[in-house]
Amino acid sequence: MKKTLLSVFVVGSVLVACGQNPTPPENVQTAFTKKFNTVQKVKWTQEDNEWEAEFELNKTEMSASYDNSGNWLETETEIDKKDVPAEILKAVTQKFGDWEIDELEKIEKPDFKGYEIALEKDETETETEILVSETGEITVKNVSDEEKN
């Protein structure tokens, strides 16, 4: 009985481990390697028809997304507040002065370059994500109320 339970546990663990880092199609891997040829360690995840590679480059956490055909969709780079241009922070403060910056990422897509900023209001537990172009134009992506979730 102990051997059977141990075997079930081992097989289950292997299946879970394999499911956590699926292997993307060859064309996705090739496209990633062309764009990020120096990256050695990549964690892949898949959601619907999109593959996301999480990795570190020059001691910076990044992610890059591709569709099933290997077309690059976006790259996100985690950054500190000190790395955001003052005019961008000023635009965010003017529009969202009573919000606190929770997370910052530099984002690049085929049709957009700028910043993705997660904001939150502590007193209401409301969160929002905004996109800010390099020129300071702000687009609200979504708003969620933590109390409702």
Side-chain angles (χ1 to χ4, degrees), residues 32-92:
F32 176 80
T33 302
K34 281 182 182 178
K35 194 162 182 71
F36 302 100
N37 61 352
T38 61
V39 173
Q40 299 295 314
K41 191 175 180 182
V42 181
K43 179 185 175 204
W44 288 99
T45 56
Q46 181 185 20
E47 188 174 314
D48 298 323
N49 296 322
E50 187 174 320
W51 289 90
E52 182 177 43
E54 294 181 14
F55 56 97
E56 194 172 288
L57 183 62
N58 301 323
K59 298 183 181 181
T60 302
E61 289 187 37
M62 299 178 67
S63 68
S65 299
Y66 297 83
D67 66 16
N68 282 330
S69 299
N71 297 311
W72 170 73
L73 302 174
E74 73 176 0
T75 300
E76 295 179 349
T77 305
E78 289 189 20
I79 58 173
D80 291 324
K81 190 174 181 178
K82 65 178 175 47
D83 299 323
V84 179
E87 60 272 11
I88 299 298
L89 290 175
K90 183 179 178 181
V92 172

Side-chain angles (χ1 to χ4, degrees), residues 53-138:
E54 294 181 14
F55 56 97
E56 194 172 288
L57 183 62
N58 301 323
K59 298 183 181 181
T60 302
E61 289 187 37
M62 299 178 67
S63 68
S65 299
Y66 297 83
D67 66 16
N68 282 330
S69 299
N71 297 311
W72 170 73
L73 302 174
E74 73 176 0
T75 300
E76 295 179 349
T77 305
E78 289 189 20
I79 58 173
D80 291 324
K81 190 174 181 178
K82 65 178 175 47
D83 299 323
V84 179
E87 60 272 11
I88 299 298
L89 290 175
K90 183 179 178 181
V92 172
T93 302
Q94 285 177 341
K95 189 163 184 171
F96 296 94
D98 56 340
W99 294 71
E100 183 178 320
I101 294 176
D102 185 41
E103 206 173 307
L104 291 161
E105 294 178 324
K106 187 159 185 135
I107 188 167
E108 183 179 351
K109 298 180 179 194
D111 60 347
F112 180 83
K113 286 184 181 182
Y115 302 88
E116 184 175 77
I117 303 174
L119 302 167
E120 65 182 6
K121 279 188 177 181
D122 286 334
E123 66 276 1
T124 61
E125 295 187 30
T126 303
E127 298 177 348
T128 189
E129 281 188 7
I130 60 172
L131 291 176
V132 185
S133 71
E134 292 179 324
T135 61
E137 183 179 328
I138 297 174

Side-chain angles (χ1 to χ4, degrees), residues 131-149:
L131 291 176
V132 185
S133 71
E134 292 179 324
T135 61
E137 183 179 328
I138 297 174
T139 305
V140 177
K141 282 181 61 177
N142 65 40
V143 177
S144 66
D145 184 349
E146 280 296 310
E147 293 174 350
K148 293 178 183 175
N149 293 337

